[in-house]
Amino acid sequence: MTGNDEYTATQNSMQSSNFNLLSTLSKEKLTGPNYMHWMRNLKVTLRYENKEYVLEKPLVEIDQSIATPGETVAFNKHSDDPTNVACIIVATMTPELHKFYEDYWPYEICVDLAEKFHKMARQERYEVVKSFMACKLTEGESVYAQEKRMQRYMEWLEKLNVTFGQELAIGMVLNSFTSSYDQFILTYYLNNMETTLTQIHNLLQTVELGMKKNHVPSAISAPILAIGHNKGKKKKDPSQSNW
C-alpha cells in the first residue's frame, strides 16, 4: 500500500468513526433538562472511541519553532480530536445551544454546560425524589396503576443519573402501599425471600385479587410460598422490569 493509499484509508476510517459517533449521539439532542443523561451518553461514546480525554483537558498551544517532533505529533492529534468532537457535540444540541457553542472547544463546552445545567439537574433530582417518596397508593386504586407510577419515577431518576439496587427499588414500591397490605409486607420480609420487581408485581396483584374476593389470608400466604420454590432467584434490574 502506498503512502497516499494509507492516508486515504486513515481518512475514511476517521470519517466512519465520526459518523458512528454522530449517529449514536443524535438519538437524543441536548435540550438542557436532559444534560446529565446526554453527558453520560457522550462520555461513554467518546470513551469507546478513545476520545474522552478531550472533555477533560484544555487544548494548550505549543511553540512550533522549539517543539520536539514528538510534541508536535501529540499536539496535532490533540488538535484534530477536539475539532472533530466539537463538531459532533454541537450537532447533537438544539439549534439555540448549537449557535451559542459552535466556536467553543469541547473542554470549554463541558465546563460551561456544567455551570449552567448541573445545578438544574441536581434540583430536578431532589424534586423527583421528593415526589417519588410521597407517591402512595390510595384506597380503591389498582395495584397496576400505582406500580406504573413508581416505575415512571424510577425511569425518570435513572435519566438523572440516579440508579436503584433491586432491594431498594422493592422497598420503595412496598412502602408506597396502604396499611391493607401490611400483613403481606410483613410476611414477605419474614420469609426473607429474594424476588424481582416483576415477581413482586405479580404477588401484589394476587393479593389485590384476594382482597376483592374477601379471601385475604390465602392471598397473602400462597404467593410467598410459591416464590420460595424459585431455584434461580435471579435478580432483575429495575430498568428492565416489564411493568
Side-chain angles (χ1 to χ4, degrees):
M1 181 181 289
T2 65
N4 287 337
D5 290 338
E6 290 178 353
Y7 177 79
T8 301
T10 300
Q11 289 296 103
N12 290 338
S13 176
M14 289 177 60
Q15 290 174 359
S16 176
S17 176
N18 291 337
F19 177 79
N20 291 334
L21 273 172
L22 182 60
S23 175
T24 300
L25 295 172
S26 291
K27 294 177 181 178
E28 182 175 1
K29 289 185 177 292
L30 174 66
T31 59
N34 67 336
Y35 162 73
M36 297 294 289
H37 186 62
W38 176 86
M39 180 57 71
R40 181 174 59 191
N41 286 341
L42 174 65
K43 287 184 175 181
V44 169
T45 308
L46 292 180
R47 189 177 305 143
Y48 178 78
E49 299 286 344
N50 295 319
K51 298 180 188 293
E52 187 182 11
Y53 76 95
V54 305
L55 305 179
E56 302 165 351
K57 298 179 182 179
L59 180 63
V60 180
E61 297 288 343
I62 64 171
D63 187 342
Q64 298 279 0
S65 63
I66 61 174
T68 66
E71 289 174 337
T72 301
V73 171
F75 173 78
N76 289 337
K77 174 176 174 51
H78 197 185
S79 176
D80 290 341
D81 284 352
T83 299
N84 294 333
V85 172
C87 293
I88 291 167
I89 288 176
V90 296
T92 60
M93 294 177 165
T94 61
E96 294 77 15
L97 291 172
H98 182 156
K99 183 177 180 180
F100 184 83
Y101 288 109
E102 61 185 358
D103 294 324
Y104 279 58
W105 289 106
Y107 175 79
E108 297 169 337
I109 293 175
C110 285
V111 171
D112 198 64
L113 286 176
E115 291 178 357
K116 285 183 178 178
F117 299 123
H118 185 72
K119 290 182 179 179
M120 182 188 300
R122 185 180 180 186
Q123 178 64 27
E124 185 179 2
R125 281 198 300 270
Y126 168 74
E127 295 295 338
V128 177
V129 168
K130 186 169 71 171
S131 298
F132 185 26
M133 295 180 68
C135 181
K136 304 290 184 180
L137 176 73
T138 58
E139 290 293 345
E141 193 175 26
S142 72
V143 165
Y144 178 78
Q146 174 65 4
E147 290 176 330
K148 291 297 288 184
R149 273 198 301 271
M150 298 293 283
Q151 179 67 14
R152 283 195 294 271
Y153 277 122
M154 281 187 270
E155 291 173 351
W156 191 355
L157 286 169
E158 284 176 354
K159 289 184 178 181
L160 294 172
N161 266 11
V162 177
T163 56
F164 289 87
Q166 186 77 36
E167 187 174 350
L168 176 59
I170 290 175
M172 291 293 290
V173 169
L174 294 178
N175 184 61
S176 73
F177 282 80
T178 62
S179 58
S180 302
Y181 292 82
D182 283 353
Q183 184 59 50
F184 164 76
I185 295 171
L186 177 62
T187 305
Y188 169 77
Y189 281 110
L190 286 176
N191 276 270
N192 196 30
M193 299 301 176
E194 291 187 13
T195 60
T196 65
L197 281 168
T198 301
Q199 289 169 326
I200 287 293
H201 161 75
N202 294 333
L203 290 173
L204 287 168
Q205 285 196 324
T206 302
V207 173
E208 180 183 41
L209 182 61
M211 288 178 176
K212 290 179 179 179
K213 294 180 178 179
N214 294 321
H215 294 298
V216 178
S218 60
I220 290 174
S221 58
I224 293 293
L225 294 176
I227 286 297
H229 290 86
N230 183 2
K231 296 181 180 179
K233 293 184 180 179
K234 294 182 179 178
K235 294 185 178 182
K236 184 174 181 181
D237 189 272
S239 64
Q240 296 177 346
S241 171
N242 60 355
W243 291 2

